[in-house]
Amino acid sequence: MIHLVELDKYNAWDVMFLKTRRDQKRFVADNVWSMLHAYTGNKTKGAVYPFGIYNDKKPVGFLLIAYDYSEVCDDPEAPEIAKNNYFLWRIMIDKRYQGRGYGREAVKLALDFIKTFPHGKAEYCWICYDKENITARNLYLSMGFQEIGEQGEDINAVIKL
Ligand SMILES: CC(C)(COP(=O)(O)OP(=O)(O)OC[C@H]1O[C@@H](n2cnc3c(N)ncnc32)[C@H](O)[C@@H]1OP(=O)(O)O)[C@@H](O)C(=O)NCCC(=O)NCCS
């Protein structure tokens, strides 16, 4: 059974070194890099929630949720939607476990978590993916995300909470 476990000093190591396929590397940052973002982001007015994705006890992926990405990353190019909304910032399933439905289940669980509004109420969850990331794009659209615009190589999409 797929479930999310918030990462702490004990279990972070379970997922730190999980890897995507080589051809997917350009679609998602390395997990170590993402964890650094979680650490620094949580020292701002925003919030970052790093999760391990587990199949029973086995770590199979990594997921990162942020609230108010503009605050968290101090990114002047952050889209308008970043302000006061939740961001499904990163998701990856290790190359050994892809194509088994784990990614879809993890996104559902992420939305369930977001709907508990852990850092305050918000209207939307947004997501950002590379135009060429067809697997991710099809997955999000099939789950009800709607595209709201492009930014360079990326597409932004939202779902109402
Ligand atoms: C995107 C990702 C998280 C999906 O995880 P996953 O566990 O492989 O996906 P699932 O098994 O839940 O499949 C989701 C859908 O994608 C399809 N899919 C999965 N792998 C696929 C592939 N290699 N080619 C085409 N379609 C694929 C599945 O058929 C499924 O669609 P369906 O439910 O209509 O049948 C995973 O591919 C990944 O980690 N990619 C690299 C990192 C990345 O791109 N992250 C997203 C950044 S925005």
Side-chain angles (χ1 to χ4, degrees):
M1 199 187 84
I2 294 297
H3 59 116
L4 303 182
V5 180
E6 205 160 341
L7 293 181
D8 59 23
K9 65 179 178 179
Y10 301 108
N11 60 13
W13 304 98
D14 286 352
V15 299
M16 185 98 85
F17 302 113
L18 296 180
K19 296 278 179 235
T20 57
R21 294 197 315 258
R22 188 185 288 260
D23 61 297
Q24 296 171 324
K25 273 184 187 294
R26 67 203 167 103
F27 295 146
V28 69
D30 197 82
N31 293 345
V32 176
W33 188 246
S34 294
M35 285 187 201
L36 189 59
H37 272 307
Y39 178 79
T40 55
N42 278 326
K43 305 214 176 289
T44 69
K45 279 188 270 172
V48 188
Y49 303 90
F51 288 98
I53 304 168
Y54 288 76
N55 180 29
D56 292 328
K57 290 188 176 161
K58 189 190 285 287
V60 297
F62 172 77
L63 190 145
L64 196 68
I65 292 166
Y67 176 85
D68 206 336
Y69 170 76
S70 345
E71 276 291 336
V72 158
C73 253
D74 197 20
D75 179 357
E77 292 182 6
E80 195 58 31
I81 190 79
K83 197 87 200 129
N84 301 327
N85 283 309
Y86 289 89
F87 181 28
L88 185 39
W89 191 355
R90 306 259 157 79
I91 176 168
M92 61 81 70
I93 299 292
D94 184 273
K95 58 187 174 188
R96 291 167 294 172
Y97 308 117
Q98 290 182 14
R100 302 180 187 189
Y102 297 170
R104 181 180 292 279
E105 195 53 37
V107 174
K108 274 190 213 148
L109 293 170
L111 290 171
D112 288 347
F113 172 77
I114 288 169
K115 285 176 189 166
T116 67
F117 301 109
H119 202 71
K121 204 75 181 145
E123 204 173 350
Y124 295 102
C125 169
W126 68 288
I127 200 156
C128 173
Y129 44 89
D130 190 294
K131 279 178 197 163
E132 292 181 7
N133 196 350
I134 306 299
T135 303
R137 186 180 193 205
N138 289 343
L139 172 63
Y140 303 139
L141 295 183
S142 75
M143 297 187 75
F145 280 87
Q146 292 189 327
E147 295 183 341
I148 53 165
E150 294 184 3
Q151 209 172 5
E153 293 307 301
D154 292 331
I155 297 174
N156 295 327
V158 298
I159 195 164
K160 203 159 173 24
L161 295 170

Coordinates of all heavy atoms in Angstrom, one line a residue, residues 34-81:
S34 N 16.6 19.0 -3.3 CA 15.2 19.3 -2.9 C 15.2 19.4 -1.3 O 14.5 20.2 -0.8 CB 14.2 18.2 -3.3 OG 14.1 18.3 -4.7
M35 N 15.9 18.5 -0.7 CA 15.9 18.5 0.8 C 16.6 19.8 1.3 O 16.2 20.3 2.3 CB 16.6 17.3 1.3 CG 15.7 16.1 1.2 SD 16.3 14.6 2.0 CE 15.5 13.4 1.1
L36 N 17.6 20.2 0.6 CA 18.2 21.5 1.0 C 17.2 22.6 0.8 O 17.1 23.5 1.7 CB 19.4 21.7 0.0 CG 20.3 22.9 0.4 CD1 20.9 22.7 1.8 CD2 21.4 23.0 -0.6
H37 N 16.4 22.6 -0.2 CA 15.3 23.6 -0.4 C 14.3 23.5 0.8 O 13.8 24.5 1.2 CB 14.5 23.4 -1.7 CG 15.1 24.0 -2.9 ND1 15.4 25.4 -2.9 CD2 15.5 23.6 -4.1 CE1 15.9 25.7 -4.0 NE2 16.0 24.6 -4.8
A38 N 14.0 22.3 1.2 CA 13.1 22.1 2.3 C 13.7 22.8 3.6 O 13.0 23.5 4.3 CB 12.8 20.6 2.6
Y39 N 14.9 22.5 3.8 CA 15.6 23.1 5.0 C 15.6 24.6 5.0 O 15.2 25.2 6.0 CB 17.0 22.5 5.1 CG 17.8 23.1 6.3 CD1 17.6 22.5 7.5 CD2 18.7 24.1 6.1 CE1 18.3 23.0 8.6 CE2 19.4 24.6 7.2 CZ 19.2 24.1 8.4 OH 19.9 24.5 9.5
T40 N 16.0 25.2 3.9 CA 16.1 26.6 3.9 C 14.7 27.3 3.8 O 14.4 28.3 4.4 CB 16.9 27.1 2.7 OG1 16.4 26.5 1.5 CG2 18.4 26.7 2.8
G41 N 13.8 26.6 3.0 CA 12.4 27.1 2.9 C 11.7 27.2 4.2 O 10.8 28.1 4.4
N42 N 12.0 26.3 5.1 CA 11.3 26.3 6.4 C 11.8 27.3 7.3 O 11.4 27.5 8.5 CB 11.3 24.9 7.0 CG 10.2 24.0 6.4 OD1 9.1 24.6 6.1 ND2 10.4 22.8 6.2
K43 N 12.8 28.1 6.9 CA 13.2 29.3 7.7 C 12.6 30.6 7.2 O 13.1 31.7 7.5 CB 14.8 29.3 7.6 CG 15.4 28.0 8.1 CD 16.7 28.2 8.8 CE 17.3 26.9 9.3 NZ 16.5 26.3 10.4
T44 N 11.6 30.4 6.3 CA 10.9 31.6 5.8 C 9.5 31.7 6.3 O 9.1 30.8 7.1 CB 10.8 31.6 4.2 OG1 9.9 30.5 3.9 CG2 12.2 31.3 3.6
K45 N 8.7 32.6 5.8 CA 7.3 32.7 6.3 C 6.4 31.6 5.6 O 5.3 31.3 6.0 CB 6.7 34.1 5.9 CG 7.1 35.1 7.0 CD 6.3 36.4 6.7 CE 7.2 37.3 5.8 NZ 6.5 38.5 5.3
G46 N 7.0 31.0 4.5 CA 6.3 29.9 3.8 C 6.6 28.6 4.5 O 7.0 28.6 5.7
A47 N 6.3 27.5 3.9 CA 6.5 26.2 4.5 C 6.8 25.2 3.4 O 6.3 25.3 2.3 CB 5.3 25.8 5.3
V48 N 7.6 24.2 3.8 CA 8.0 23.1 2.9 C 7.8 21.8 3.6 O 8.3 21.7 4.7 CB 9.4 23.3 2.3 CG1 9.7 22.2 1.2 CG2 9.6 24.7 1.8
Y49 N 7.2 20.8 2.9 CA 6.9 19.5 3.5 C 7.5 18.4 2.6 O 7.0 18.1 1.6 CB 5.4 19.3 3.6 CG 4.7 20.4 4.4 CD1 4.2 21.5 3.8 CD2 4.5 20.3 5.8 CE1 3.5 22.5 4.5 CE2 3.9 21.3 6.5 CZ 3.4 22.4 5.9 OH 2.8 23.4 6.6
P50 N 8.6 17.9 3.1 CA 9.2 16.8 2.3 C 8.7 15.4 2.8 O 8.6 15.2 4.0 CB 10.7 16.9 2.6 CG 10.8 17.6 3.9 CD 9.5 18.3 4.2
F51 N 8.3 14.6 1.8 CA 7.8 13.3 2.1 C 8.5 12.2 1.4 O 8.9 12.3 0.2 CB 6.3 13.1 1.7 CG 5.3 13.9 2.5 CD1 4.9 15.2 2.0 CD2 4.8 13.4 3.7 CE1 4.0 15.9 2.8 CE2 3.9 14.2 4.4 CZ 3.5 15.4 4.0
G52 N 8.6 11.0 2.1 CA 9.0 9.8 1.4 C 7.7 9.2 0.9 O 6.7 9.2 1.6
I53 N 7.8 8.5 -0.3 CA 6.7 7.7 -0.8 C 7.1 6.3 -0.5 O 8.1 5.9 -1.0 CB 6.4 8.0 -2.3 CG1 6.2 9.5 -2.6 CG2 5.3 7.2 -2.8 CD1 6.2 9.9 -4.0
Y54 N 6.2 5.6 0.2 CA 6.6 4.2 0.6 C 5.5 3.3 0.1 O 4.3 3.6 0.1 CB 6.6 4.1 2.1 CG 7.8 4.7 2.8 CD1 7.9 6.1 2.9 CD2 8.9 3.9 3.3 CE1 9.0 6.7 3.5 CE2 10.0 4.5 3.9 CZ 10.0 5.9 4.0 OH 11.1 6.5 4.6
N55 N 6.0 2.1 -0.4 CA 5.1 1.0 -0.7 C 5.3 0.0 0.5 O 6.3 -0.6 0.6 CB 5.4 0.3 -2.0 CG 4.5 -0.8 -2.3 OD1 3.3 -0.8 -1.9 ND2 5.0 -1.8 -3.0
D56 N 4.3 0.0 1.4 CA 4.5 -0.7 2.7 C 5.7 -0.1 3.3 O 5.8 1.1 3.5 CB 4.5 -2.2 2.6 CG 3.1 -2.7 2.1 OD1 2.1 -2.1 2.5 OD2 3.0 -3.7 1.4
K57 N 6.8 -0.9 3.6 CA 7.9 -0.4 4.2 C 9.0 0.1 3.3 O 10.1 0.6 3.7 CB 8.5 -1.4 5.2 CG 7.6 -1.6 6.4 CD 8.2 -2.5 7.4 CE 7.2 -2.6 8.6 NZ 7.5 -3.7 9.5
K58 N 8.8 -0.2 2.0 CA 9.9 0.1 1.0 C 9.8 1.5 0.5 O 8.8 1.9 -0.1 CB 9.8 -0.9 -0.2 CG 11.0 -0.9 -1.1 CD 10.7 -1.7 -2.4 CE 10.8 -3.1 -2.1 NZ 12.2 -3.6 -1.9
P59 N 10.9 2.3 0.6 CA 10.9 3.6 0.0 C 10.9 3.6 -1.5 O 11.8 2.9 -2.1 CB 12.1 4.3 0.6 CG 13.0 3.2 1.0 CD 12.1 2.0 1.3
V60 N 10.0 4.2 -2.2 CA 9.9 4.1 -3.7 C 10.0 5.5 -4.3 O 10.2 5.6 -5.5 CB 8.6 3.4 -4.1 CG1 8.6 1.9 -3.7 CG2 7.4 4.1 -3.7
G61 N 9.8 6.6 -3.6 CA 9.9 7.9 -4.2 C 9.9 9.0 -3.2 O 10.0 8.8 -2.0
F62 N 9.9 10.2 -3.8 CA 10.1 11.4 -3.0 C 9.1 12.5 -3.5 O 8.8 12.6 -4.7 CB 11.5 11.9 -3.1 CG 11.8 13.2 -2.5 CD1 11.9 13.4 -1.1 CD2 11.9 14.4 -3.3 CE1 12.1 14.6 -0.5 CE2 12.1 15.6 -2.7 CZ 12.2 15.7 -1.3
L63 N 8.6 13.3 -2.5 CA 7.6 14.3 -2.9 C 7.8 15.5 -2.0 O 8.1 15.4 -0.8 CB 6.2 13.7 -2.6 CG 5.0 14.3 -3.0 CD1 4.0 13.2 -3.4 CD2 4.4 15.1 -1.9
L64 N 7.7 16.7 -2.6 CA 7.9 17.9 -1.9 C 6.7 18.9 -2.1 O 6.4 19.1 -3.3 CB 9.2 18.6 -2.4 CG 9.8 19.7 -1.6 CD1 10.4 19.1 -0.3 CD2 11.0 20.3 -2.3
I65 N 6.1 19.4 -1.0 CA 5.0 20.3 -1.1 C 5.5 21.6 -0.5 O 6.2 21.6 0.5 CB 3.8 19.8 -0.4 CG1 3.3 18.5 -1.1 CG2 2.7 20.8 -0.2 CD1 2.3 17.7 -0.2
A66 N 5.1 22.7 -1.1 CA 5.5 24.0 -0.5 C 4.2 24.9 -0.4 O 3.3 24.8 -1.2 CB 6.5 24.8 -1.4
Y67 N 4.2 25.7 0.6 CA 3.2 26.8 0.7 C 3.9 28.1 0.4 O 4.9 28.4 1.1 CB 2.5 26.8 2.1 CG 1.5 27.9 2.2 CD1 0.2 27.7 1.7 CD2 1.9 29.1 2.7 CE1 -0.7 28.8 1.8 CE2 1.0 30.2 2.8 CZ -0.3 30.0 2.4 OH -1.2 31.0 2.5
D68 N 3.3 28.9 -0.5 CA 3.9 30.2 -0.8 C 5.3 30.1 -1.3 O 6.3 30.5 -0.7 CB 3.8 31.1 0.4 CG 3.7 32.6 -0.1 OD1 4.2 32.8 -1.3 OD2 3.2 33.4 0.6
Y69 N 5.4 29.5 -2.5 CA 6.7 29.3 -3.1 C 7.5 30.6 -3.3 O 8.7 30.6 -3.2 CB 6.5 28.5 -4.5 CG 7.7 28.4 -5.3 CD1 8.7 27.5 -5.0 CD2 7.9 29.3 -6.4 CE1 9.8 27.4 -5.8 CE2 9.0 29.2 -7.2 CZ 10.0 28.3 -6.9 OH 11.1 28.2 -7.7
S70 N 6.8 31.7 -3.5 CA 7.5 32.9 -3.7 C 8.3 33.3 -2.5 O 9.5 33.7 -2.6 CB 6.5 34.1 -4.0 OG 5.2 33.7 -4.3
E71 N 7.7 33.0 -1.3 CA 8.5 33.3 0.0 C 9.6 32.3 0.1 O 10.7 32.6 0.5 CB 7.5 33.1 1.1 CG 6.7 34.3 1.5 CD 7.5 35.4 2.1 OE1 8.6 35.1 2.6 OE2 7.0 36.5 2.0
V72 N 9.2 31.0 -0.1 CA 10.1 29.9 0.2 C 11.4 30.0 -0.7 O 12.5 29.8 -0.2 CB 9.4 28.6 -0.1 CG1 10.3 27.4 -0.4 CG2 8.5 28.3 1.0
C73 N 11.3 30.4 -1.9 CA 12.4 30.5 -2.8 C 12.9 31.9 -3.1 O 13.9 32.0 -3.8 CB 12.1 29.7 -4.1 SG 13.0 28.1 -4.1
D74 N 12.2 32.9 -2.7 CA 12.5 34.2 -3.0 C 12.8 34.3 -4.5 O 13.8 34.9 -4.9 CB 13.8 34.6 -2.2 CG 13.9 36.2 -2.1 OD1 12.9 36.8 -2.4 OD2 15.0 36.6 -1.9
D75 N 11.9 33.8 -5.3 CA 12.1 33.7 -6.7 C 11.3 34.8 -7.4 O 10.1 34.8 -7.4 CB 11.6 32.3 -7.2 CG 11.7 32.1 -8.7 OD1 12.1 33.0 -9.4 OD2 11.4 31.0 -9.1
P76 N 12.0 35.8 -8.0 CA 11.3 36.9 -8.6 C 10.5 36.5 -9.8 O 9.6 37.2 -10.2 CB 12.5 37.8 -9.0 CG 13.7 37.0 -9.0 CD 13.5 35.9 -8.1
E77 N 10.8 35.3 -10.3 CA 10.1 34.8 -11.5 C 8.9 33.9 -11.2 O 8.3 33.3 -12.1 CB 11.1 34.1 -12.5 CG 12.0 35.2 -13.1 CD 13.0 34.6 -14.1 OE1 12.8 33.4 -14.4 OE2 13.8 35.3 -14.5
A78 N 8.7 33.7 -9.9 CA 7.6 32.9 -9.5 C 6.3 33.4 -10.1 O 6.0 34.6 -10.0 CB 7.5 32.8 -8.0
P79 N 5.4 32.5 -10.6 CA 4.1 33.0 -11.1 C 3.2 33.5 -10.0 O 3.4 33.2 -8.9 CB 3.5 31.8 -11.8 CG 4.2 30.6 -11.1 CD 5.5 31.1 -10.7
E80 N 2.2 34.3 -10.4 CA 1.3 34.9 -9.5 C 0.6 33.8 -8.6 O 0.4 34.0 -7.4 CB 0.2 35.6 -10.3 CG -0.7 36.6 -9.6 CD 0.1 37.7 -8.9 OE1 1.1 38.1 -9.3 OE2 -0.4 38.1 -7.8
I81 N 0.3 32.7 -9.2 CA -0.4 31.6 -8.4 C 0.4 31.1 -7.2 O -0.1 30.5 -6.3 CB -0.7 30.4 -9.4 CG1 -1.6 29.4 -8.8 CG2 0.6 29.7 -9.9 CD1 -3.0 29.8 -8.8

